[in-house]
Amino acid sequence: MRVAFTFPGQGSQSVGMGKDLADAFPQAAQVFAEVDDALGEKLSATIWDGPEETLTLTANAQPALMAVSIAAIRVMEARGLRLADHVAFVAGHSLGEYSALCAAGTFSLADTARLLRIRGNAMQAAVPVGKGAMAAIIGLEHGDVVQICADAASLGSCQIANDNGGGQIVVSGEKDAVEKAAALASEKGAKRALLLPVSAPFHSSLMAPAADAMRDALAGVTKHNPVVPLIANVRAAAVIDAGEIADLLVEQVTGQVRWRETIEWFVANDVTTLYEIGAGKVLTGLARRIDKSVSGVTINTPADIESALATLLA
């Protein structure tokens, strides 16, 4: 009977997220103030008041989602939660990996905010607009999509970006190749194969310039071993060495987010409950589709925190 904390990725953001936490708890308000100071701007105003198109920009959405997650964590810590005592593992989906590492003490809050701002800008700048694309393929097995990417590669780079489980796989790469992959997936019997409204081909080889930027950025920040192991996106296995984690975060920029395998790893290692810390409930839904034996709990409101603490601290 073990517990893991998971942290959401891009796409979970919404205008107003975290405002009820900041209004209810001074520890949450302090997190948003620290992120604002670290970035030298009032990101909190964009998070709470919009406009939505500004919040959705990659360079804003990434630190914004992290801020909401850590606001919840800081409130829980103030009420007696200690990650090392109550949680066995942490994991995060793409940018959520940084939230997980901030929660587990690898990076300071200010450094995490700055790293995610660098990451967002670097990912956006890595590929000219219109050159890359991403597509969601629903209803095919992982091996089928690997073959589809290989077949589409005659038109350019194409690879699996996210294996989200439950028959949901996202491919990423050059636009012509991704469009070809979507067409091939439909021919193979996919339930759906649709291009995603994203601004860049994340988690593909085209992101190599962003990986270089993150290697430099990560080299310049203080890192500590996390207080509980991280289940790393690109490895779907536990890691606790800070230097190794930094290398994997660089690899993650161009590599596959192996979320299905991450949930399967949790199940194999006696994790029975996954708490999704932060905005939305995407990861809870994915976990339910991957393995119904796992219990999923979302924590993003004051009431959620009260309920979770009653269980975790019992």
Side-chain angles (χ1 to χ4, degrees):
M1 299 283 287
R2 298 162 110 184
V3 164
F5 278 7
T6 66
F7 296 82
Q10 207 160 331
S12 290
Q13 71 276 357
S14 61
V15 172
M17 63 182 183
K19 183 67 164 65
D20 52 352
L21 295 180
D23 288 344
F25 304 108
Q27 298 87 0
Q30 180 61 30
V31 167
F32 291 103
E34 285 187 41
V35 170
D36 287 349
D37 287 346
L39 298 179
E41 66 178 77
K42 292 282 284 184
L43 181 64
S44 58
T46 301
I47 297 171
W48 296 333
D49 303 324
E52 184 176 356
E53 57 269 24
T54 303
L55 176 60
T56 302
L57 291 172
T58 299
N60 291 332
Q62 295 198 18
L65 284 161
M66 181 276 298
V68 176
S69 292
I70 300 305
I73 288 287
R74 294 290 184 261
V75 172
M76 295 170 77
E77 289 174 336
R79 299 283 296 279
L81 180 90
R82 290 187 74 248
L83 239 67
D85 293 342
H86 300 104
V87 178
F89 307 102
V90 294
H93 194 285
S94 192
L95 85 87
E97 198 154 70
Y98 287 80
S99 307
L101 290 164
C102 181
T106 295
F107 303 124
S108 71
L109 175 59
D111 280 342
T112 309
R114 287 188 287 261
L115 285 168
L116 284 172
R117 172 56 58 82
I118 292 166
R119 185 176 184 268
N121 281 328
M123 292 171 90
Q124 191 60 62
V127 181
V129 174
K131 182 182 178 185
M134 299 179 77
I137 296 173
I138 313 295
L140 291 182
E141 294 298 319
H142 186 271
D144 292 331
V145 181
V146 170
Q147 185 58 54
I148 283 167
C149 289
D151 293 343
S154 60
L155 298 180
S157 67
C158 182
Q159 67 193 76
I160 293 176
N162 304 330
D163 178 6
N164 286 331
Q168 181 191 120
I169 296 175
V170 177
V171 300
S172 182
E174 294 184 59
K175 188 169 184 288
D176 289 348
V178 170
E179 289 175 344
K180 176 68 171 175
L184 289 171
S186 295
E187 291 171 12
K188 260 192 180 294
K191 293 177 184 175
R192 281 192 296 167
L194 61 157
L195 292 174
L196 297 175
V198 296
S199 56
F202 304 127
H203 298 290
S204 77
S205 61
L206 299 180
M207 289 285 112
D212 291 340
M214 291 315 297
R215 183 178 293 105
D216 292 343
L218 286 159
V221 300
T222 300
K223 297 173 280 290
H224 304 282
N225 293 344
V227 297
V228 296
L230 170 79
I231 312 307
N233 281 180
V234 296
R235 188 173 290 178
V239 190
I240 202 154
D241 178 76
E244 187 177 7
I245 285 168
D247 291 341
L248 294 174
L249 288 172
V250 174
E251 185 180 337
Q252 185 227 66
V253 177
T254 58
Q256 182 181 155
V257 176
R258 296 165 61 181
W259 199 252
R260 172 182 58 83
E261 294 170 83
T262 296
I263 302 303
E264 291 171 351
W265 190 95
F266 283 141
V267 173
N269 287 273
D270 302 319
V271 173
T272 56
T273 306
L274 298 175
Y275 287 87
E276 181 175 3
I277 315 295
K281 52 185 178 181
V282 170
L283 300 183
T284 302
L286 290 178
R288 192 174 294 123
R289 288 201 291 273
I290 294 165
D291 193 315
K292 289 183 170 56
S293 72
V294 178
S295 173
V297 180
T298 56
I299 300 181
N300 54 32
T301 69
D304 292 340
I305 288 175
E306 298 296 340
S307 176
L309 287 174
T311 301
L312 289 165
L313 302 181

